[in-house]
Amino acid sequence: MGLRRVVVTGLGTINPLGKTVEEYFSNLDRGVSGAELITSFDTSRFKTKFACTVRDFDPAEHGIDRKELRRIDRFAQFAMAAAAQAVADSGLDFEKTDRNRVGVILGSGIGGIGSLTEEIMGYSEGGSIPRFSPFLITKMISDMAPGLISIRYGLAGPNYTTTSACASSSHAMGDALNLIRLGKADVILTGGAEAPVTIPSIGGFNASKALSTNNDNYKTASRPFDATRDGFVMGEGSAVLVFEEREHALARGARIYAEVAGAGMSADAYHITAPLPDGSGAARVMRLALEDAGLMPEDVDYINVHGTSTPLGDVAELKGVRTVFGDHSYSLSISSTKSMHGHLLGAAGAVEALACIHAINSAVVPPTINFEHEDPEIDYRIDLTLNRARHREVRVALNNTFGFGGHNSCMAFISPSVRK
C-alpha cells in the first residue's frame, strides 16, 4: 500500500499584511510594505526602531474570551485566531469527524518571549510586581499554541510544537504531511506562530548584526537581492493550514487549494548563523523536496525563497537555486515576500506557504519589493519578480525556509489539477 496523498483544505492568517487571508493576498499582490515604527516599547537604546507588526489586533474578534487573555501570550493568540479562520474556511464539522484522528502541529522559534520579558522585568529589583504569575510557564512555552487549539476543538490527535529557528513552521508542516501519509491522522492543523517584536528579540538580533538598521527608510528596509540590503526586518503573526488526507477531503466535498506533494529537511552542519557560502545546503534541501514529491526541477514554476535581505543569505540561496535548476533557473519565477511582511522567524514558512498556494490559485506571483540597486554577486537573469507582481501559471511551487543552527526545510505544493 502506497503513501496516502495530502491536500490543503483550509487557510487562516494573522500577519502584518492582513488579519484575514483575503486581505493578506490582496496586499501581497499590490506590493504593500508592512513595516512600521515600533510603539510597544521604547526603542531609544536600540539600533533598529521598526518592525512589521500586526496592528489593531483584537483577540475577541477571533473567539478568544477577554478573561482568557491574561493566560495566553500574544503568539498563541495569533495562532488561535489563524486556526479559527482555517477551520471555518475548511468547512470541517468536528461533530461529524473522528477527533482522535485530527491533530495540531505548529512551529515557533521563541514562543512566549513577550510574557517572559514582561515577568522578568516586572519582578526585577525595583520592579512593579511582587511575584511571578502562575501563568508564566504556560504562556511562555512554545507548545502551548497547539495545546490551546486542541482544547478549543477537542482534537485528540498528534499535538506538539517544532522548534528549529526560522525553519520551525516548515518542519511542522513536513511532520504533518508525513503523519497523514502514514495513516497516523486524517487531518492536521499545521503552521506556525510568533510574536518576537520584544525588547530581547530586537536587542539580541541587533547585537548579532542580523537586523536592518535603516531607520530613515524603514518602509523599504527589507530589500532582498538589493546591493544595499543590510539585514532582515522582524515580523510577527501566524498562519495555519488544514492538511487533510485526500480521500477524506473528497468524501466530504471539501474545496482543495493545493496538494502537499513533498518535503525536504537537511542541515548545513557548518555555522550557527551563516549559510554555506556556495549554497549547497539550500540546493540539497530543494533536491530532497523534489525527490519526495516525485518532481523534476523543470516541473517547478515558482519558488518563494527564504530571501531575508541579508548580505550572505540571499547570494547563497540563489547559488543553490542555480545548482539545482541549471538553465531552468531562467524560466522560474522567484520572490521573497519577506520584503513585504518581514521575517516572522518560526512562523515564516507557514505565512510563505500561503503565498505559494495563492500563486497556484490566482496565477499571480507576488513581488519582491524595494529593489533599486544591482548587486554584482547576483544573477539578475533569474526572474526575481522585482517590485511588481507577475501574472503566470503556477502549477508547482516550492517554499524554502532556513534557520539559525543550519536548519533547512523545503515544501513542495502543486495545483490540484496536476495529479488527479
Side-chain angles (χ1 to χ4, degrees):
M1 181 177 178
L3 294 174
R4 305 196 311 169
R5 294 168 64 182
V6 180
V7 296
V8 180
T9 59
L11 309 174
T13 193
I14 300 288
N15 73 64
L17 294 187
K19 294 189 285 292
T20 66
V21 170
E22 292 76 18
E23 184 183 12
Y24 172 46
F25 289 167
S26 174
N27 284 329
L28 276 181
D29 292 348
R30 294 188 298 119
V32 174
S33 170
E36 300 285 348
L37 292 173
I38 296 169
T39 59
S40 55
F41 58 87
D42 180 8
T43 61
S44 60
R45 296 171 62 188
F46 296 98
K47 294 180 179 179
T48 296
K49 304 178 186 302
F50 59 94
C52 290
T53 59
V54 176
R55 296 173 294 280
D56 303 320
F57 174 65
D58 183 356
E61 294 178 358
H62 304 277
I64 303 173
D65 191 317
R66 294 190 184 279
K67 294 180 181 179
E68 294 181 301
L69 290 182
R70 68 190 184 101
R71 305 182 182 186
I72 305 174
D73 186 86
R74 183 173 172 86
F75 94 100
Q77 294 173 27
F78 288 153
M80 294 175 73
Q85 292 178 25
V87 169
D89 185 49
S90 73
L92 278 165
D93 182 350
F94 291 130
E95 296 299 324
K96 300 177 180 178
T97 305
D98 183 354
R99 301 186 203 210
N100 293 321
R101 295 188 57 79
V102 182
V104 189
I105 303 175
L106 301 182
S108 185
I110 51 179
I113 193 170
S115 294
L116 179 61
T117 303
E118 188 177 306
E119 291 287 324
I120 289 175
M121 293 182 70
Y123 183 78
S124 64
E125 186 175 354
S128 59
I129 60 174
R131 64 184 178 86
F132 284 103
S133 165
F135 305 116
L136 170 59
I137 300 302
T138 53
K139 291 174 72 175
M140 178 189 73
I141 54 179
S142 299
D143 70 297
M144 195 49 58
L148 288 164
I149 293 167
S150 74
I151 291 168
R152 169 179 273 193
Y153 298 107
L155 308 178
N159 187 279
Y160 59 90
T161 288
T162 56
T163 298
S164 47
C166 306
S168 297
S169 59
S170 290
H171 281 154
M173 292 186 291
D175 282 4
L177 166 65
N178 287 324
L179 285 172
I180 296 174
R181 276 173 162 177
L182 294 171
K184 306 299 183 182
D186 294 326
V187 179
I188 295 181
L189 278 59
T190 187
E194 207 81 272
V197 184
T198 63
I199 290 172
S201 302
I202 299 297
F205 280 108
N206 264 163
S208 66
K209 303 185 186 302
L211 287 182
S212 171
T213 57
N214 194 349
N215 297 299
D216 293 337
N217 302 287
Y218 63 85
K219 278 288 187 184
T220 63
S222 183
R223 47 184 69 177
F225 316 125
D226 188 283
T228 63
R229 65 192 183 280
D230 69 332
F232 73 81
V233 176
M234 190 79 78
E236 65 175 357
S238 174
V240 174
L241 301 82
V242 177
F243 280 17
E244 187 169 355
E245 193 271 324
R246 184 173 180 271
E247 295 306 315
H248 188 278
L250 291 174
R252 65 181 188 85
R255 174 178 48 191
I256 294 174
Y257 287 101
E259 182 169 352
V260 193
M265 304 179 192
S266 73
D268 278 354
Y270 171 69
H271 190 274
I272 58 172
T273 58
L276 283 159
D278 63 358
S280 58
R284 185 183 312 114
V285 80
M286 285 186 279
R287 282 185 173 129
L288 289 170
L290 291 173
E291 179 183 349
D292 190 46
L295 295 168
M296 299 299 292
E298 55 268 27
D299 294 326
V300 178
D301 302 302
Y302 170 55
I303 307 174
N304 187 299
V305 291
H306 191 56
T308 54
S309 188
T310 55
L312 296 178
D314 291 4
V315 171
E317 186 172 10
L318 290 182
K319 287 180 179 178
V321 169
R322 189 76 177 88
T323 297
V324 174
F325 294 95
D327 288 343
H328 183 63
S329 302
Y330 306 125
S331 300
L332 293 167
S333 287
I334 288 172
S335 68
S336 171
T337 52
K338 288 183 180 71
S339 60
M340 293 177 276
H341 53 62
H343 190 356
L344 276 70
L345 304 185
V351 170
E352 292 156 17
L354 293 188
C356 289
I357 290 168
H358 174 55
I360 287 170
N361 284 277
S362 68
V364 177
V365 172
T368 305
I369 66 169
N370 304 326
F371 177 82
E372 294 182 26
H373 309 96
E374 290 195 358
D375 182 339
E377 293 192 70
I378 289 177
D379 182 356
Y380 292 100
R381 292 176 298 170
I382 297 174
D383 176 19
L384 301 174
T385 322
L386 298 173
N387 296 328
R388 292 185 180 181
R390 179 179 297 279
H391 294 266
R392 64 166 292 171
E393 182 182 35
V394 177
R395 291 162 57 83
V396 176
L398 299 185
N399 176 27
N400 288 344
T401 51
F402 312 133
F404 280 4
H407 313 298
N408 302 318
S409 182
C410 179
M411 298 293 299
F413 298 95
I414 64 177
S415 168
S417 65
V418 171
R419 296 172 181 166
K420 297 297 185 181

